[in-house]
């Protein structure tokens, strides 16, 4: 994420992890794992980070490489 530019960042999450993120945590990213950085705020960044971490623990399949 740190090397990317623009309003969206590629997380590397798989489609299954993205679906779980929405279903279990109400955090919405595109199916290919892109997240809107403009939607992150001081009020939600910790919750989003914890949710992303949790889906990678619960669904540990290999992360996607950047497209």
């Amino acid at each position: 994420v740190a090397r990317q530019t623009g309003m969206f960042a590629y997380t590397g999450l798989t489609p299954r992890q993205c679906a779980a993120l929405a279903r279990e945590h109400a955090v919405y990213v595109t199916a290919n794992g892109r997240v809107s950085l403009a939607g992150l705020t001081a009020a939600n960044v910790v919750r989003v980070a914890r949710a992303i971490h949790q889906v990678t623990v619960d669904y540990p399949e290999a992360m996607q490489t950047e497209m």
Side-chain angles (χ1 to χ4, degrees):
V1 172
R3 295 185 309 236
Q4 299 178 47
T5 60
M7 291 179 48
F8 288 86
Y10 184 74
T11 62
L13 295 173
T14 66
R16 184 173 176 227
Q17 291 167 330
C18 293
L21 195 59
R23 183 179 62 252
E24 298 172 16
H25 301 279
V27 173
Y28 301 93
V29 299
T30 62
N32 69 353
R34 291 208 181 265
V35 62
S36 171
L37 297 178
L40 292 176
T41 66
N44 69 15
V45 69
V46 172
R47 184 179 76 81
V48 171
R50 287 181 177 154
I52 291 171
H53 170 74
Q54 194 60 53
V55 298
T56 63
V57 170
D58 293 345
Y59 305 92
E61 58 260 20
M63 303 290 276
Q64 296 183 53
T65 57
E66 188 170 349
M67 298 178 149

